[in-house]
Amino acid sequence: MEITRTLLHSSCSKLPFQTPFLHFQSQVVASSFSSRREITKTSSIPIISRTHFRKPIAASCSASDGSNSSSATKVSVADPSVALKKKAMDISPELKGTSIFLVGMKSSIKTSLGKLLANVLRYYYFDSDSLVEEAAGGESAAKSLRETDKNGFHESETEVLKQLSSMGRLVVCAGDGAVQSSANLALLRYGISIWIDIPVDLVARGVIEDQSQLPAFNLSASASFPEVLTHLSTSYEEVRGGYETADATISVEKLACKLSYDDFGDVTTEDMALEVLKEIEKLTRVKKMMEAAARPF
C-alpha cells in the first residue's frame, strides 16, 4: 500500500501541523506479537550511522551528539563491544523487524540507549515527544497546546503512536503520554515495550548538569537540585503504574548489583543495551514456544 501521510490527520486538526511525517523509500515490515502487516512508505529519514558509543551513565547524562530535536538522528560514537554486536545479530532473525518502545522517565540516558539499540539492530530511531513538538510547530507551541487544550494534546500523542506502531524496525523513546491511557498502551502492544527504570536522583543529576533539559520538565532555569528531584519524584509516582505494564523492565540499580558495580552510576549505556537485548531474546523465545504449543498435532 503506497501512502504518504502527515504526522497528524484530521482527527487532530487542532494541531498547527508544520512538517510532513514519514516518507520511507523502502519497504518496512511492521510486526508484533499479535499481528504482522506489510506497509510500503516513502521516507526522507536518513539511515542511522553504524558507529556507536560507550560512556558511563553518569557522564552521558549531559552528553550530546550535537543533533537537533528532529525525529530521526544520526549517532556518531565509539564502536560497541563484540558481545553487544553478536547479541544483536543473534536475535535479529527472531525479532523479525518488531519495533521496540522504550518507556520510562525522560532522560538523556534513555535517549542514548535508544540510539545505541537502533544502531546495533540497524533500526530507525524516533522520539515520540519530538514528533509531537514538530507537528505543533516547536517546543513552545507544544507547551502552549498542552496548557490550553490538554485533550487535543493527548489526541496528538495518540496519533503519533498510532502511526509509529503501524511500522516496523523502529526503536522509539516513548513519552509519558504513551503509558497514561488504555488506547496508547494498546498501541504499544504492536511492538515490544521495555521499561528503562533509572533512579530518579540520577535523572535529576543529569537535568542539573544539562540545564537545557529543564523546560522539558516544566522547570524554571533557576531550579535547584532538591526542586528538580521533588518534581521528578512526583511525576514518577504518577505514571509508575503505566511503566509497569511494559513487557520487560531494565532496572539500573539491579543491573549494577548484577554486574558487581560499586555504584549504579557505573553502569554503561552498553551494559543496558546488552541487557535489553537479552530480555528481548527471552520474550521472543517465549512467544515462539507459545506459538508451537498452539499448533494442532
mmCIF file of all heavy atoms in Angstrom, residues 9-61:
data_model
loop_
_atom_site.group_PDB
_atom_site.id
_atom_site.type_symbol
_atom_site.label_atom_id
_atom_site.label_comp_id
_atom_site.label_asym_id
_atom_site.label_seq_id
_atom_site.Cartn_x
_atom_site.Cartn_y
_atom_site.Cartn_z
ATOM 1 N N HIS A 9 -3.483 13.602 11.319
ATOM 2 C CA HIS A 9 -4.535 13.784 10.327
ATOM 3 C C HIS A 9 -5.700 14.558 10.916
ATOM 4 O O HIS A 9 -5.586 15.201 11.943
ATOM 5 C CB HIS A 9 -4.967 12.443 9.735
ATOM 6 C CG HIS A 9 -5.359 11.418 10.748
ATOM 7 N ND1 HIS A 9 -6.245 11.646 11.759
ATOM 8 C CD2 HIS A 9 -4.959 10.111 10.892
ATOM 9 C CE1 HIS A 9 -6.407 10.550 12.468
ATOM 10 N NE2 HIS A 9 -5.623 9.615 11.978
ATOM 11 N N SER A 10 -6.833 14.500 10.229
ATOM 12 C CA SER A 10 -7.959 15.358 10.592
ATOM 13 C C SER A 10 -8.461 15.165 12.003
ATOM 14 O O SER A 10 -9.022 16.081 12.595
ATOM 15 C CB SER A 10 -9.123 15.103 9.616
ATOM 16 O OG SER A 10 -9.478 13.734 9.631
ATOM 17 N N SER A 11 -8.269 14.018 12.580
ATOM 18 C CA SER A 11 -8.751 13.796 13.947
ATOM 19 C C SER A 11 -8.002 14.647 14.956
ATOM 20 O O SER A 11 -8.442 14.808 16.084
ATOM 21 C CB SER A 11 -8.613 12.321 14.337
ATOM 22 O OG SER A 11 -7.259 11.956 14.399
ATOM 23 N N CYS A 12 -6.847 15.179 14.543
ATOM 24 C CA CYS A 12 -6.066 16.044 15.423
ATOM 25 C C CYS A 12 -5.865 17.391 14.752
ATOM 26 O O CYS A 12 -4.792 17.993 14.825
ATOM 27 C CB CYS A 12 -4.711 15.425 15.734
ATOM 28 S SG CYS A 12 -4.831 13.905 16.669
ATOM 29 N N SER A 13 -6.902 17.889 14.094
ATOM 30 C CA SER A 13 -6.773 19.123 13.319
ATOM 31 C C SER A 13 -6.487 20.354 14.159
ATOM 32 O O SER A 13 -6.126 21.394 13.645
ATOM 33 C CB SER A 13 -8.064 19.357 12.520
ATOM 34 O OG SER A 13 -9.181 19.422 13.391
ATOM 35 N N LYS A 14 -6.613 20.238 15.471
ATOM 36 C CA LYS A 14 -6.331 21.379 16.337
ATOM 37 C C LYS A 14 -4.847 21.706 16.380
ATOM 38 O O LYS A 14 -4.458 22.782 16.776
ATOM 39 C CB LYS A 14 -6.830 21.086 17.756
ATOM 40 C CG LYS A 14 -8.350 20.935 17.833
ATOM 41 C CD LYS A 14 -8.785 20.605 19.249
ATOM 42 C CE LYS A 14 -10.295 20.401 19.329
ATOM 43 N NZ LYS A 14 -10.742 20.059 20.682
ATOM 44 N N LEU A 15 -4.026 20.725 15.967
ATOM 45 C CA LEU A 15 -2.586 20.979 15.968
ATOM 46 C C LEU A 15 -2.183 21.752 14.723
ATOM 47 O O LEU A 15 -2.528 21.362 13.619
ATOM 48 C CB LEU A 15 -1.818 19.651 15.977
ATOM 49 C CG LEU A 15 -1.471 19.089 17.341
ATOM 50 C CD1 LEU A 15 -0.770 17.749 17.148
ATOM 51 C CD2 LEU A 15 -0.582 20.012 18.116
ATOM 52 N N PRO A 16 -1.412 22.848 14.877
ATOM 53 C CA PRO A 16 -0.923 23.586 13.714
ATOM 54 C C PRO A 16 0.230 22.843 13.063
ATOM 55 O O PRO A 16 1.393 23.153 13.247
ATOM 56 C CB PRO A 16 -0.464 24.918 14.329
ATOM 57 C CG PRO A 16 -0.050 24.560 15.712
ATOM 58 C CD PRO A 16 -0.984 23.455 16.145
ATOM 59 N N PHE A 17 -0.089 21.819 12.272
ATOM 60 C CA PHE A 17 0.936 20.946 11.696
ATOM 61 C C PHE A 17 1.889 21.730 10.800
ATOM 62 O O PHE A 17 1.486 22.545 9.999
ATOM 63 C CB PHE A 17 0.246 19.837 10.900
ATOM 64 C CG PHE A 17 1.194 18.903 10.235
ATOM 65 C CD1 PHE A 17 1.928 18.026 11.005
ATOM 66 C CD2 PHE A 17 1.369 18.930 8.879
ATOM 67 C CE1 PHE A 17 2.819 17.157 10.406
ATOM 68 C CE2 PHE A 17 2.260 18.067 8.281
ATOM 69 C CZ PHE A 17 2.984 17.181 9.042
ATOM 70 N N GLN A 18 3.188 21.456 10.966
ATOM 71 C CA GLN A 18 4.195 22.191 10.232
ATOM 72 C C GLN A 18 4.950 21.354 9.205
ATOM 73 O O GLN A 18 5.320 21.849 8.154
ATOM 74 C CB GLN A 18 5.225 22.767 11.222
ATOM 75 C CG GLN A 18 4.623 23.746 12.214
ATOM 76 C CD GLN A 18 4.134 25.005 11.548
ATOM 77 O OE1 GLN A 18 4.719 25.454 10.592
ATOM 78 N NE2 GLN A 18 3.048 25.562 12.057
ATOM 79 N N THR A 19 5.209 20.096 9.534
ATOM 80 C CA THR A 19 6.053 19.299 8.646
ATOM 81 C C THR A 19 5.428 17.950 8.360
ATOM 82 O O THR A 19 4.702 17.406 9.186
ATOM 83 C CB THR A 19 7.434 19.043 9.289
ATOM 84 O OG1 THR A 19 7.245 18.427 10.563
ATOM 85 C CG2 THR A 19 8.195 20.332 9.472
ATOM 86 N N PRO A 20 5.661 17.360 7.171
ATOM 87 C CA PRO A 20 5.142 16.013 6.883
ATOM 88 C C PRO A 20 5.832 15.014 7.774
ATOM 89 O O PRO A 20 6.946 15.245 8.220
ATOM 90 C CB PRO A 20 5.500 15.804 5.407
ATOM 91 C CG PRO A 20 6.663 16.702 5.193
ATOM 92 C CD PRO A 20 6.443 17.891 6.096
ATOM 93 N N PHE A 21 5.192 13.892 8.000
ATOM 94 C CA PHE A 21 5.744 12.895 8.931
ATOM 95 C C PHE A 21 6.791 12.046 8.233
ATOM 96 O O PHE A 21 7.887 12.469 7.982
ATOM 97 C CB PHE A 21 4.594 12.048 9.471
ATOM 98 C CG PHE A 21 4.979 11.089 10.543
ATOM 99 C CD1 PHE A 21 6.009 11.388 11.409
ATOM 100 C CD2 PHE A 21 4.311 9.892 10.690
ATOM 101 C CE1 PHE A 21 6.351 10.501 12.424
ATOM 102 C CE2 PHE A 21 4.646 9.014 11.690
ATOM 103 C CZ PHE A 21 5.658 9.324 12.545
ATOM 104 N N LEU A 22 6.497 10.849 7.895
ATOM 105 C CA LEU A 22 7.487 9.907 7.401
ATOM 106 C C LEU A 22 7.324 9.672 5.907
ATOM 107 O O LEU A 22 6.223 9.469 5.436
ATOM 108 C CB LEU A 22 7.334 8.564 8.136
ATOM 109 C CG LEU A 22 7.424 8.672 9.642
ATOM 110 C CD1 LEU A 22 7.174 7.301 10.245
ATOM 111 C CD2 LEU A 22 8.768 9.202 10.060
ATOM 112 N N HIS A 23 8.428 9.658 5.163
ATOM 113 C CA HIS A 23 8.406 9.366 3.736
ATOM 114 C C HIS A 23 9.437 8.280 3.464
ATOM 115 O O HIS A 23 10.552 8.548 3.051
ATOM 116 C CB HIS A 23 8.731 10.606 2.920
ATOM 117 C CG HIS A 23 7.859 11.767 3.229
ATOM 118 N ND1 HIS A 23 6.526 11.814 2.906
ATOM 119 C CD2 HIS A 23 8.133 12.938 3.862
ATOM 120 C CE1 HIS A 23 6.014 12.956 3.305
ATOM 121 N NE2 HIS A 23 6.956 13.647 3.889
ATOM 122 N N PHE A 24 9.084 7.061 3.708
ATOM 123 C CA PHE A 24 10.021 5.951 3.535
ATOM 124 C C PHE A 24 10.204 5.628 2.052
ATOM 125 O O PHE A 24 9.268 5.666 1.286
ATOM 126 C CB PHE A 24 9.513 4.687 4.239
ATOM 127 C CG PHE A 24 9.906 4.613 5.667
ATOM 128 C CD1 PHE A 24 8.985 4.878 6.655
ATOM 129 C CD2 PHE A 24 11.198 4.294 6.020
ATOM 130 C CE1 PHE A 24 9.350 4.816 7.974
ATOM 131 C CE2 PHE A 24 11.554 4.228 7.353
ATOM 132 C CZ PHE A 24 10.631 4.489 8.323
ATOM 133 N N GLN A 25 11.418 5.289 1.668
ATOM 134 C CA GLN A 25 11.710 4.877 0.304
ATOM 135 C C GLN A 25 11.913 3.369 0.226
ATOM 136 O O GLN A 25 12.192 2.839 -0.833
ATOM 137 C CB GLN A 25 12.977 5.577 -0.201
ATOM 138 C CG GLN A 25 12.763 7.064 -0.389
ATOM 139 C CD GLN A 25 14.012 7.749 -0.880
ATOM 140 O OE1 GLN A 25 15.098 7.211 -0.769
ATOM 141 N NE2 GLN A 25 13.841 8.940 -1.413
ATOM 142 N N SER A 26 11.806 2.714 1.354
ATOM 143 C CA SER A 26 11.975 1.263 1.353
ATOM 144 C C SER A 26 10.786 0.602 2.003
ATOM 145 O O SER A 26 10.010 1.239 2.696
ATOM 146 C CB SER A 26 13.245 0.882 2.114
ATOM 147 O OG SER A 26 13.167 1.358 3.424
ATOM 148 N N GLN A 27 10.643 -0.674 1.776
ATOM 149 C CA GLN A 27 9.525 -1.414 2.366
ATOM 150 C C GLN A 27 9.827 -1.726 3.814
ATOM 151 O O GLN A 27 10.894 -2.207 4.138
ATOM 152 C CB GLN A 27 9.296 -2.709 1.591
ATOM 153 C CG GLN A 27 7.984 -3.393 1.977
ATOM 154 C CD GLN A 27 7.734 -4.584 1.109
ATOM 155 O OE1 GLN A 27 8.523 -5.509 1.120
ATOM 156 N NE2 GLN A 27 6.650 -4.566 0.360
ATOM 157 N N VAL A 28 8.857 -1.438 4.665
ATOM 158 C CA VAL A 28 9.015 -1.669 6.090
ATOM 159 C C VAL A 28 7.990 -2.688 6.534
ATOM 160 O O VAL A 28 6.819 -2.558 6.204
ATOM 161 C CB VAL A 28 8.808 -0.363 6.880
ATOM 162 C CG1 VAL A 28 8.971 -0.634 8.367
ATOM 163 C CG2 VAL A 28 9.813 0.684 6.433
ATOM 164 N N VAL A 29 8.422 -3.686 7.242
ATOM 165 C CA VAL A 29 7.506 -4.704 7.750
ATOM 166 C C VAL A 29 7.209 -4.413 9.194
ATOM 167 O O VAL A 29 8.105 -4.421 10.027
ATOM 168 C CB VAL A 29 8.118 -6.119 7.627
ATOM 169 C CG1 VAL A 29 7.154 -7.158 8.179
ATOM 170 C CG2 VAL A 29 8.426 -6.408 6.161
ATOM 171 N N ALA A 30 5.955 -4.121 9.481
ATOM 172 C CA ALA A 30 5.558 -3.865 10.861
ATOM 173 C C ALA A 30 5.040 -5.163 11.444
ATOM 174 O O ALA A 30 4.092 -5.735 10.957
ATOM 175 C CB ALA A 30 4.474 -2.800 10.905
ATOM 176 N N SER A 31 5.690 -5.639 12.511
ATOM 177 C CA SER A 31 5.269 -6.893 13.118
ATOM 178 C C SER A 31 5.169 -6.752 14.618
ATOM 179 O O SER A 31 5.779 -5.891 15.214
ATOM 180 C CB SER A 31 6.268 -7.995 12.776
ATOM 181 O OG SER A 31 7.533 -7.645 13.236
ATOM 182 N N SER A 32 4.360 -7.626 15.224
ATOM 183 C CA SER A 32 4.212 -7.609 16.670
ATOM 184 C C SER A 32 3.949 -9.021 17.134
ATOM 185 O O SER A 32 3.872 -9.953 16.338
ATOM 186 C CB SER A 32 3.037 -6.700 17.065
ATOM 187 O OG SER A 32 1.827 -7.307 16.692
ATOM 188 N N PHE A 33 3.763 -9.171 18.461
ATOM 189 C CA PHE A 33 3.459 -10.489 18.988
ATOM 190 C C PHE A 33 2.055 -10.924 18.595
ATOM 191 O O PHE A 33 1.717 -12.080 18.671
ATOM 192 C CB PHE A 33 3.595 -10.484 20.504
ATOM 193 C CG PHE A 33 5.011 -10.455 20.953
ATOM 194 C CD1 PHE A 33 5.371 -9.736 22.079
ATOM 195 C CD2 PHE A 33 5.991 -11.126 20.246
ATOM 196 C CE1 PHE A 33 6.685 -9.719 22.492
ATOM 197 C CE2 PHE A 33 7.306 -11.111 20.652
ATOM 198 C CZ PHE A 33 7.642 -10.406 21.777
ATOM 199 N N SER A 34 1.218 -9.965 18.195
ATOM 200 C CA SER A 34 -0.157 -10.326 17.878
ATOM 201 C C SER A 34 -0.484 -10.215 16.400
ATOM 202 O O SER A 34 -1.434 -10.832 15.938
ATOM 203 C CB SER A 34 -1.121 -9.428 18.666
ATOM 204 O OG SER A 34 -0.885 -8.071 18.342
ATOM 205 N N SER A 35 0.286 -9.440 15.631
ATOM 206 C CA SER A 35 -0.027 -9.267 14.222
ATOM 207 C C SER A 35 1.179 -8.831 13.439
ATOM 208 O O SER A 35 2.122 -8.290 13.995
ATOM 209 C CB SER A 35 -1.140 -8.214 14.052
ATOM 210 O OG SER A 35 -0.665 -6.942 14.451
ATOM 211 N N ARG A 36 1.129 -9.066 12.113
ATOM 212 C CA ARG A 36 2.191 -8.623 11.244
ATOM 213 C C ARG A 36 1.556 -8.045 9.995
ATOM 214 O O ARG A 36 0.659 -8.628 9.412
ATOM 215 C CB ARG A 36 3.110 -9.786 10.859
ATOM 216 C CG ARG A 36 3.902 -10.330 12.002
ATOM 217 C CD ARG A 36 4.747 -11.488 11.557
ATOM 218 N NE ARG A 36 5.691 -11.070 10.517
ATOM 219 C CZ ARG A 36 6.386 -11.953 9.794
ATOM 220 N NH1 ARG A 36 6.239 -13.231 9.981
ATOM 221 N NH2 ARG A 36 7.224 -11.519 8.866
ATOM 222 N N ARG A 37 2.021 -6.871 9.597
ATOM 223 C CA ARG A 37 1.471 -6.219 8.420
ATOM 224 C C ARG A 37 2.602 -5.695 7.580
ATOM 225 O O ARG A 37 3.603 -5.240 8.116
ATOM 226 C CB ARG A 37 0.579 -5.038 8.818
ATOM 227 C CG ARG A 37 -0.683 -5.444 9.527
ATOM 228 C CD ARG A 37 -1.263 -4.251 10.235
ATOM 229 N NE ARG A 37 -0.431 -3.907 11.396
ATOM 230 C CZ ARG A 37 -0.631 -2.855 12.131
ATOM 231 N NH1 ARG A 37 -1.569 -2.005 11.832
ATOM 232 N NH2 ARG A 37 0.142 -2.602 13.176
ATOM 233 N N GLU A 38 2.447 -5.717 6.263
ATOM 234 C CA GLU A 38 3.449 -5.142 5.388
ATOM 235 C C GLU A 38 2.949 -3.798 4.915
ATOM 236 O O GLU A 38 1.850 -3.662 4.425
ATOM 237 C CB GLU A 38 3.727 -6.038 4.183
ATOM 238 C CG GLU A 38 4.622 -7.210 4.520
ATOM 239 C CD GLU A 38 5.249 -7.804 3.278
ATOM 240 O OE1 GLU A 38 4.898 -7.338 2.182
ATOM 241 O OE2 GLU A 38 6.062 -8.716 3.427
ATOM 242 N N ILE A 39 3.796 -2.780 5.079
ATOM 243 C CA ILE A 39 3.422 -1.431 4.707
ATOM 244 C C ILE A 39 4.539 -0.827 3.885
ATOM 245 O O ILE A 39 5.685 -0.851 4.310
ATOM 246 C CB ILE A 39 3.163 -0.555 5.946
ATOM 247 C CG1 ILE A 39 2.065 -1.192 6.788
ATOM 248 C CG2 ILE A 39 2.789 0.857 5.556
ATOM 249 C CD1 ILE A 39 1.816 -0.472 8.066
ATOM 250 N N THR A 40 4.249 -0.285 2.747
ATOM 251 C CA THR A 40 5.263 0.356 1.934
ATOM 252 C C THR A 40 5.074 1.857 2.038
ATOM 253 O O THR A 40 3.988 2.359 1.799
ATOM 254 C CB THR A 40 5.135 -0.073 0.457
ATOM 255 O OG1 THR A 40 5.224 -1.480 0.395
ATOM 256 C CG2 THR A 40 6.253 0.545 -0.381
ATOM 257 N N LYS A 41 6.145 2.563 2.393
ATOM 258 C CA LYS A 41 6.067 4.004 2.584
ATOM 259 C C LYS A 41 7.245 4.649 1.890
ATOM 260 O O LYS A 41 8.202 3.995 1.541
ATOM 261 C CB LYS A 41 6.082 4.358 4.072
ATOM 262 C CG LYS A 41 4.941 3.727 4.847
ATOM 263 C CD LYS A 41 5.020 4.138 6.283
ATOM 264 C CE LYS A 41 3.804 3.657 7.038
ATOM 265 N NZ LYS A 41 3.766 2.243 7.249
ATOM 266 N N THR A 42 7.193 5.959 1.693
ATOM 267 C CA THR A 42 8.349 6.691 1.192
ATOM 268 C C THR A 42 8.848 7.576 2.293
ATOM 269 O O THR A 42 8.070 8.147 3.034
ATOM 270 C CB THR A 42 7.955 7.554 -0.020
ATOM 271 O OG1 THR A 42 6.933 8.439 0.365
ATOM 272 C CG2 THR A 42 7.501 6.683 -1.181
ATOM 273 N N SER A 43 10.176 7.704 2.428
ATOM 274 C CA SER A 43 10.709 8.471 3.544
ATOM 275 C C SER A 43 12.007 9.172 3.216
ATOM 276 O O SER A 43 12.809 8.699 2.435
ATOM 277 C CB SER A 43 10.950 7.547 4.729
ATOM 278 O OG SER A 43 11.578 8.250 5.748
ATOM 279 N N SER A 44 12.174 10.325 3.855
ATOM 280 C CA SER A 44 13.424 11.060 3.722
ATOM 281 C C SER A 44 14.292 10.884 4.950
ATOM 282 O O SER A 44 15.268 11.574 5.143
ATOM 283 C CB SER A 44 13.119 12.558 3.541
ATOM 284 O OG SER A 44 12.399 13.039 4.653
ATOM 285 N N ILE A 45 13.923 9.932 5.803
ATOM 286 C CA ILE A 45 14.676 9.689 7.028
ATOM 287 C C ILE A 45 16.041 9.135 6.690
ATOM 288 O O ILE A 45 16.162 8.163 5.953
ATOM 289 C CB ILE A 45 13.943 8.683 7.926
ATOM 290 C CG1 ILE A 45 12.573 9.254 8.316
ATOM 291 C CG2 ILE A 45 14.743 8.384 9.166
ATOM 292 C CD1 ILE A 45 11.740 8.265 9.039
ATOM 293 N N PRO A 46 17.110 9.729 7.209
ATOM 294 C CA PRO A 46 18.447 9.224 6.898
ATOM 295 C C PRO A 46 18.722 7.906 7.590
ATOM 296 O O PRO A 46 18.218 7.642 8.668
ATOM 297 C CB PRO A 46 19.364 10.322 7.458
ATOM 298 C CG PRO A 46 18.565 10.920 8.565
ATOM 299 C CD PRO A 46 17.136 10.868 8.110
ATOM 300 N N ILE A 47 19.503 7.057 6.939
ATOM 301 C CA ILE A 47 19.927 5.822 7.587
ATOM 302 C C ILE A 47 20.799 6.178 8.775
ATOM 303 O O ILE A 47 21.721 6.982 8.669
ATOM 304 C CB ILE A 47 20.724 4.941 6.614
ATOM 305 C CG1 ILE A 47 19.828 4.510 5.450
ATOM 306 C CG2 ILE A 47 21.297 3.717 7.320
ATOM 307 C CD1 ILE A 47 18.667 3.640 5.833
ATOM 308 N N ILE A 48 20.509 5.595 9.913
ATOM 309 C CA ILE A 48 21.268 5.907 11.119
ATOM 310 C C ILE A 48 22.694 5.397 10.984
ATOM 311 O O ILE A 48 22.941 4.309 10.497
ATOM 312 C CB ILE A 48 20.597 5.265 12.339
ATOM 313 C CG1 ILE A 48 19.190 5.862 12.511
ATOM 314 C CG2 ILE A 48 21.411 5.495 13.588
ATOM 315 C CD1 ILE A 48 18.406 5.218 13.605
ATOM 316 N N SER A 49 23.620 6.195 11.417
ATOM 317 C CA SER A 49 25.035 5.826 11.354
ATOM 318 C C SER A 49 25.284 4.525 12.090
ATOM 319 O O SER A 49 24.657 4.236 13.101
ATOM 320 C CB SER A 49 25.873 6.939 11.995
ATOM 321 O OG SER A 49 27.176 6.502 12.232
ATOM 322 N N ARG A 50 26.227 3.742 11.614
ATOM 323 C CA ARG A 50 26.518 2.463 12.250
ATOM 324 C C ARG A 50 27.691 2.578 13.211
ATOM 325 O O ARG A 50 28.272 1.576 13.594
ATOM 326 C CB ARG A 50 26.789 1.410 11.173
ATOM 327 C CG ARG A 50 25.510 1.092 10.384
ATOM 328 C CD ARG A 50 25.795 0.154 9.250
ATOM 329 N NE ARG A 50 24.589 -0.024 8.445
ATOM 330 C CZ ARG A 50 24.568 -0.681 7.295
ATOM 331 N NH1 ARG A 50 25.675 -1.223 6.825
ATOM 332 N NH2 ARG A 50 23.461 -0.797 6.612
ATOM 333 N N THR A 51 28.054 3.793 13.563
ATOM 334 C CA THR A 51 29.059 3.960 14.600
ATOM 335 C C THR A 51 28.362 4.162 15.918
ATOM 336 O O THR A 51 27.216 4.562 15.953
ATOM 337 C CB THR A 51 29.959 5.178 14.313
ATOM 338 O OG1 THR A 51 29.118 6.315 14.111
ATOM 339 C CG2 THR A 51 30.817 4.932 13.095
ATOM 340 N N HIS A 52 29.054 3.895 17.002
ATOM 341 C CA HIS A 52 28.381 3.795 18.293
ATOM 342 C C HIS A 52 29.166 4.482 19.398
ATOM 343 O O HIS A 52 30.159 5.144 19.161
ATOM 344 C CB HIS A 52 28.178 2.319 18.653
ATOM 345 C CG HIS A 52 27.619 1.526 17.507
ATOM 346 N ND1 HIS A 52 26.281 1.415 17.249
ATOM 347 C CD2 HIS A 52 28.250 0.829 16.525
ATOM 348 C CE1 HIS A 52 26.095 0.667 16.176
ATOM 349 N NE2 HIS A 52 27.259 0.313 15.726
ATOM 350 N N PHE A 53 28.718 4.286 20.609
ATOM 351 C CA PHE A 53 29.367 4.916 21.734
ATOM 352 C C PHE A 53 29.386 4.018 22.949
ATOM 353 O O PHE A 53 28.636 3.068 23.041
ATOM 354 C CB PHE A 53 28.631 6.209 22.122
ATOM 355 C CG PHE A 53 27.227 5.964 22.565
ATOM 356 C CD1 PHE A 53 26.925 5.812 23.900
ATOM 357 C CD2 PHE A 53 26.224 5.848 21.631
ATOM 358 C CE1 PHE A 53 25.641 5.556 24.296
ATOM 359 C CE2 PHE A 53 24.931 5.586 22.038
ATOM 360 C CZ PHE A 53 24.638 5.443 23.358
ATOM 361 N N ARG A 54 30.240 4.357 23.865
ATOM 362 C CA ARG A 54 30.279 3.670 25.157
ATOM 363 C C ARG A 54 30.680 4.712 26.173
ATOM 364 O O ARG A 54 31.829 5.146 26.224
ATOM 365 C CB ARG A 54 31.283 2.520 25.145
ATOM 366 C CG ARG A 54 31.345 1.805 26.501
ATOM 367 C CD ARG A 54 32.435 0.747 26.493
ATOM 368 N NE ARG A 54 32.570 0.156 27.803
ATOM 369 C CZ ARG A 54 32.001 -0.977 28.164
ATOM 370 N NH1 ARG A 54 31.253 -1.627 27.317
ATOM 371 N NH2 ARG A 54 32.181 -1.477 29.367
ATOM 372 N N LYS A 55 29.738 5.138 27.008
ATOM 373 C CA LYS A 55 30.020 6.138 28.035
ATOM 374 C C LYS A 55 29.326 5.741 29.324
ATOM 375 O O LYS A 55 28.218 5.211 29.287
ATOM 376 C CB LYS A 55 29.512 7.520 27.602
ATOM 377 C CG LYS A 55 30.298 8.101 26.440
ATOM 378 C CD LYS A 55 29.813 9.501 26.131
ATOM 379 C CE LYS A 55 30.618 10.124 25.002
ATOM 380 N NZ LYS A 55 30.157 11.474 24.659
ATOM 381 N N PRO A 56 29.939 6.000 30.465
ATOM 382 C CA PRO A 56 29.254 5.728 31.719
ATOM 383 C C PRO A 56 27.999 6.575 31.805
ATOM 384 O O PRO A 56 27.948 7.677 31.266
ATOM 385 C CB PRO A 56 30.284 6.162 32.783
ATOM 386 C CG PRO A 56 31.593 6.130 32.069
ATOM 387 C CD PRO A 56 31.278 6.505 30.656
ATOM 388 N N ILE A 57 26.974 6.053 32.476
ATOM 389 C CA ILE A 57 25.724 6.779 32.596
ATOM 390 C C ILE A 57 25.937 8.147 33.215
ATOM 391 O O ILE A 57 25.371 9.132 32.777
ATOM 392 C CB ILE A 57 24.719 5.964 33.453
ATOM 393 C CG1 ILE A 57 24.184 4.821 32.591
ATOM 394 C CG2 ILE A 57 23.581 6.827 33.933
ATOM 395 C CD1 ILE A 57 23.246 3.928 33.299
ATOM 396 N N ALA A 58 26.751 8.218 34.252
ATOM 397 C CA ALA A 58 26.954 9.497 34.920
ATOM 398 C C ALA A 58 27.465 10.545 33.961
ATOM 399 O O ALA A 58 27.124 11.718 34.047
ATOM 400 C CB ALA A 58 27.949 9.340 36.069
ATOM 401 N N ALA A 59 28.295 10.132 33.005
ATOM 402 C CA ALA A 59 28.841 11.083 32.043
ATOM 403 C C ALA A 59 27.835 11.367 30.942
ATOM 404 O O ALA A 59 27.730 12.484 30.459
ATOM 405 C CB ALA A 59 30.132 10.535 31.448
ATOM 406 N N SER A 60 27.086 10.342 30.539
ATOM 407 C CA SER A 60 26.185 10.528 29.418
ATOM 408 C C SER A 60 24.948 11.324 29.776
ATOM 409 O O SER A 60 24.185 11.703 28.908
ATOM 410 C CB SER A 60 25.760 9.169 28.859
ATOM 411 O OG SER A 60 24.985 8.455 29.784
ATOM 412 N N CYS A 61 24.734 11.585 31.046
ATOM 413 C CA CYS A 61 23.575 12.390 31.431
ATOM 414 C C CYS A 61 23.602 13.751 30.766
ATOM 415 O O CYS A 61 22.568 14.327 30.480
ATOM 416 C CB CYS A 61 23.539 12.580 32.954
ATOM 417 S SG CYS A 61 22.991 11.124 33.841
#
